[in-house]
Amino acid sequence: RVQLIESGGGSVQSGESLRLSCIVSGVSVNTRAMAWFRQAPGKEREGVADIDFRGDTNYAESVKGRFTISRDNDKNTVFLQMDGLKPEDTAMYYCAADGKPGRNYPSLLPASRYSYWGQGTQVSVSS
């Protein structure tokens, strides 16, 4: 059984930082693409960042230079370091895992391409 459990969300002021964690069981984070998505009320779920099995990363234009995705293979955990947070970053953040290992992608994929999902962690940024 594959499980993804996110943590690290919270309420912060504009300009502050948060670090999200996604603890994964059932698959290895270094064998497949892992991604962070977010969904704000009334909006579609959008890709924020991904990291493939080789460690290559992609980012949404809106977060480039502010967010960093990484992983700890020993802890089987994926992270999203979020610096310089803005009110428009407010959303539920979800961790996702590719259903097949060994694939790499030149750009962010839509949510429909990911097979496994966590329950989400809320990030709220006030101005």
Side-chain angles (χ1 to χ4, degrees), residues 44-63:
E44 290 188 359
R45 192 169 295 191
E46 63 171 354
V48 175
D50 68 32
I51 182 167
D52 70 19
F53 71 101
R54 300 178 304 187
D56 293 337
T57 59
N58 295 303
Y59 294 92
E61 286 296 325
S62 59
V63 307

mmCIF file of all heavy atoms in Angstrom, residues 44-63:
data_model
loop_
_atom_site.group_PDB
_atom_site.id
_atom_site.type_symbol
_atom_site.label_atom_id
_atom_site.label_comp_id
_atom_site.label_asym_id
_atom_site.label_seq_id
_atom_site.Cartn_x
_atom_site.Cartn_y
_atom_site.Cartn_z
ATOM 1 N N GLU A 44 -8.247 25.331 -10.042
ATOM 2 C CA GLU A 44 -7.794 23.987 -10.353
ATOM 3 C C GLU A 44 -6.487 23.682 -9.603
ATOM 4 O O GLU A 44 -5.733 24.586 -9.260
ATOM 5 C CB GLU A 44 -7.552 23.847 -11.853
ATOM 6 C CG GLU A 44 -8.831 23.864 -12.678
ATOM 7 C CD GLU A 44 -8.577 23.521 -14.137
ATOM 8 O OE1 GLU A 44 -7.405 23.302 -14.496
ATOM 9 O OE2 GLU A 44 -9.551 23.467 -14.891
ATOM 10 N N ARG A 45 -6.253 22.395 -9.419
ATOM 11 C CA ARG A 45 -4.999 21.976 -8.814
ATOM 12 C C ARG A 45 -3.864 22.236 -9.806
ATOM 13 O O ARG A 45 -3.952 21.846 -10.973
ATOM 14 C CB ARG A 45 -5.067 20.498 -8.449
ATOM 15 C CG ARG A 45 -3.945 20.028 -7.554
ATOM 16 C CD ARG A 45 -4.222 18.642 -7.016
ATOM 17 N NE ARG A 45 -5.397 18.624 -6.116
ATOM 18 C CZ ARG A 45 -5.730 17.592 -5.355
ATOM 19 N NH1 ARG A 45 -4.991 16.492 -5.365
ATOM 20 N NH2 ARG A 45 -6.804 17.648 -4.581
ATOM 21 N N GLU A 46 -2.808 22.884 -9.350
ATOM 22 C CA GLU A 46 -1.711 23.240 -10.246
ATOM 23 C C GLU A 46 -0.386 22.688 -9.725
ATOM 24 O O GLU A 46 -0.167 22.612 -8.517
ATOM 25 C CB GLU A 46 -1.605 24.764 -10.396
ATOM 26 C CG GLU A 46 -1.284 25.506 -9.114
ATOM 27 C CD GLU A 46 -0.976 26.978 -9.347
ATOM 28 O OE1 GLU A 46 -0.902 27.411 -10.516
ATOM 29 O OE2 GLU A 46 -0.794 27.698 -8.334
ATOM 30 N N GLY A 47 0.472 22.328 -10.667
ATOM 31 C CA GLY A 47 1.787 21.846 -10.296
ATOM 32 C C GLY A 47 2.672 22.976 -9.808
ATOM 33 O O GLY A 47 2.673 24.053 -10.397
ATOM 34 N N VAL A 48 3.411 22.699 -8.747
ATOM 35 C CA VAL A 48 4.322 23.686 -8.171
ATOM 36 C C VAL A 48 5.767 23.320 -8.485
ATOM 37 O O VAL A 48 6.543 24.153 -8.945
ATOM 38 C CB VAL A 48 4.125 23.780 -6.648
ATOM 39 C CG1 VAL A 48 5.150 24.722 -6.029
ATOM 40 C CG2 VAL A 48 2.713 24.234 -6.318
ATOM 41 N N ALA A 49 6.121 22.067 -8.248
ATOM 42 C CA ALA A 49 7.496 21.608 -8.473
ATOM 43 C C ALA A 49 7.502 20.093 -8.562
ATOM 44 O O ALA A 49 6.646 19.427 -7.972
ATOM 45 C CB ALA A 49 8.408 22.068 -7.341
ATOM 46 N N ASP A 50 8.480 19.568 -9.300
ATOM 47 C CA ASP A 50 8.670 18.128 -9.303
ATOM 48 C C ASP A 50 10.151 17.787 -9.328
ATOM 49 O O ASP A 50 10.986 18.635 -9.651
ATOM 50 C CB ASP A 50 7.905 17.437 -10.438
ATOM 51 C CG ASP A 50 8.438 17.755 -11.819
ATOM 52 O OD1 ASP A 50 9.660 17.967 -11.987
ATOM 53 O OD2 ASP A 50 7.625 17.768 -12.772
ATOM 54 N N ILE A 51 10.437 16.553 -8.947
ATOM 55 C CA ILE A 51 11.806 16.043 -8.964
ATOM 56 C C ILE A 51 11.754 14.619 -9.488
ATOM 57 O O ILE A 51 10.963 13.797 -8.995
ATOM 58 C CB ILE A 51 12.451 16.137 -7.560
ATOM 59 C CG1 ILE A 51 13.896 15.645 -7.577
ATOM 60 C CG2 ILE A 51 11.623 15.403 -6.507
ATOM 61 C CD1 ILE A 51 14.674 16.001 -6.315
ATOM 62 N N ASP A 52 12.566 14.309 -10.506
ATOM 63 C CA ASP A 52 12.481 12.969 -11.084
ATOM 64 C C ASP A 52 13.491 12.029 -10.438
ATOM 65 O O ASP A 52 14.212 12.421 -9.515
ATOM 66 C CB ASP A 52 12.609 13.015 -12.602
ATOM 67 C CG ASP A 52 14.008 13.393 -13.076
ATOM 68 O OD1 ASP A 52 14.978 13.273 -12.296
ATOM 69 O OD2 ASP A 52 14.145 13.798 -14.249
ATOM 70 N N PHE A 53 13.543 10.799 -10.924
ATOM 71 C CA PHE A 53 14.372 9.790 -10.264
ATOM 72 C C PHE A 53 15.856 10.135 -10.332
ATOM 73 O O PHE A 53 16.640 9.694 -9.500
ATOM 74 C CB PHE A 53 14.115 8.410 -10.882
ATOM 75 C CG PHE A 53 14.651 8.235 -12.271
ATOM 76 C CD1 PHE A 53 15.838 7.562 -12.479
ATOM 77 C CD2 PHE A 53 13.979 8.743 -13.359
ATOM 78 C CE1 PHE A 53 16.344 7.389 -13.764
ATOM 79 C CE2 PHE A 53 14.469 8.591 -14.648
ATOM 80 C CZ PHE A 53 15.664 7.914 -14.853
ATOM 81 N N ARG A 54 16.240 10.985 -11.327
ATOM 82 C CA ARG A 54 17.641 11.382 -11.432
ATOM 83 C C ARG A 54 17.954 12.588 -10.549
ATOM 84 O O ARG A 54 19.118 12.939 -10.385
ATOM 85 C CB ARG A 54 17.971 11.720 -12.889
ATOM 86 C CG ARG A 54 17.766 10.572 -13.843
ATOM 87 C CD ARG A 54 18.073 10.978 -15.283
ATOM 88 N NE ARG A 54 17.286 12.112 -15.709
ATOM 89 C CZ ARG A 54 17.259 12.577 -16.956
ATOM 90 N NH1 ARG A 54 18.010 11.986 -17.885
ATOM 91 N NH2 ARG A 54 16.514 13.603 -17.284
ATOM 92 N N GLY A 55 16.912 13.237 -10.048
ATOM 93 C CA GLY A 55 17.118 14.435 -9.246
ATOM 94 C C GLY A 55 16.909 15.731 -10.006
ATOM 95 O O GLY A 55 17.087 16.817 -9.448
ATOM 96 N N ASP A 56 16.539 15.641 -11.278
ATOM 97 C CA ASP A 56 16.237 16.838 -12.058
ATOM 98 C C ASP A 56 14.901 17.423 -11.605
ATOM 99 O O ASP A 56 13.981 16.676 -11.242
ATOM 100 C CB ASP A 56 16.166 16.501 -13.549
ATOM 101 C CG ASP A 56 17.516 16.086 -14.109
ATOM 102 O OD1 ASP A 56 18.550 16.456 -13.504
ATOM 103 O OD2 ASP A 56 17.532 15.379 -15.134
ATOM 104 N N THR A 57 14.818 18.738 -11.645
ATOM 105 C CA THR A 57 13.639 19.428 -11.104
ATOM 106 C C THR A 57 12.978 20.341 -12.123
ATOM 107 O O THR A 57 13.610 20.802 -13.078
ATOM 108 C CB THR A 57 14.023 20.261 -9.872
ATOM 109 O OG1 THR A 57 15.026 21.212 -10.249
ATOM 110 C CG2 THR A 57 14.560 19.385 -8.751
ATOM 111 N N ASN A 58 11.707 20.593 -11.927
ATOM 112 C CA ASN A 58 10.936 21.570 -12.676
ATOM 113 C C ASN A 58 10.148 22.414 -11.683
ATOM 114 O O ASN A 58 9.721 21.903 -10.639
ATOM 115 C CB ASN A 58 9.939 20.897 -13.631
ATOM 116 C CG ASN A 58 10.612 20.111 -14.731
ATOM 117 O OD1 ASN A 58 11.403 20.650 -15.491
ATOM 118 N ND2 ASN A 58 10.285 18.837 -14.825
ATOM 119 N N TYR A 59 9.932 23.673 -12.049
ATOM 120 C CA TYR A 59 9.181 24.579 -11.182
ATOM 121 C C TYR A 59 8.176 25.381 -11.987
ATOM 122 O O TYR A 59 8.409 25.712 -13.148
ATOM 123 C CB TYR A 59 10.117 25.571 -10.463
ATOM 124 C CG TYR A 59 11.057 24.929 -9.485
ATOM 125 C CD1 TYR A 59 12.330 24.531 -9.866
ATOM 126 C CD2 TYR A 59 10.656 24.712 -8.175
ATOM 127 C CE1 TYR A 59 13.191 23.933 -8.968
ATOM 128 C CE2 TYR A 59 11.520 24.115 -7.257
ATOM 129 C CZ TYR A 59 12.779 23.727 -7.667
ATOM 130 O OH TYR A 59 13.624 23.131 -6.764
ATOM 131 N N ALA A 60 7.068 25.713 -11.340
ATOM 132 C CA ALA A 60 6.141 26.661 -11.937
ATOM 133 C C ALA A 60 6.800 28.034 -11.971
ATOM 134 O O ALA A 60 7.583 28.380 -11.074
ATOM 135 C CB ALA A 60 4.860 26.717 -11.106
ATOM 136 N N GLU A 61 6.491 28.818 -12.997
ATOM 137 C CA GLU A 61 7.099 30.146 -13.125
ATOM 138 C C GLU A 61 6.827 31.004 -11.893
ATOM 139 O O GLU A 61 7.676 31.802 -11.492
ATOM 140 C CB GLU A 61 6.565 30.830 -14.381
ATOM 141 C CG GLU A 61 7.114 30.292 -15.689
ATOM 142 C CD GLU A 61 8.612 30.527 -15.821
ATOM 143 O OE1 GLU A 61 9.096 31.572 -15.341
ATOM 144 O OE2 GLU A 61 9.301 29.657 -16.389
ATOM 145 N N SER A 62 5.663 30.833 -11.315
ATOM 146 C CA SER A 62 5.267 31.677 -10.193
ATOM 147 C C SER A 62 6.084 31.431 -8.921
ATOM 148 O O SER A 62 6.049 32.260 -8.006
ATOM 149 C CB SER A 62 3.785 31.465 -9.888
ATOM 150 O OG SER A 62 3.536 30.098 -9.564
ATOM 151 N N VAL A 63 6.813 30.304 -8.858
ATOM 152 C CA VAL A 63 7.575 29.996 -7.647
ATOM 153 C C VAL A 63 9.075 29.894 -7.890
ATOM 154 O O VAL A 63 9.840 29.700 -6.937
ATOM 155 C CB VAL A 63 7.067 28.692 -6.986
ATOM 156 C CG1 VAL A 63 5.569 28.748 -6.762
ATOM 157 C CG2 VAL A 63 7.452 27.466 -7.804
#
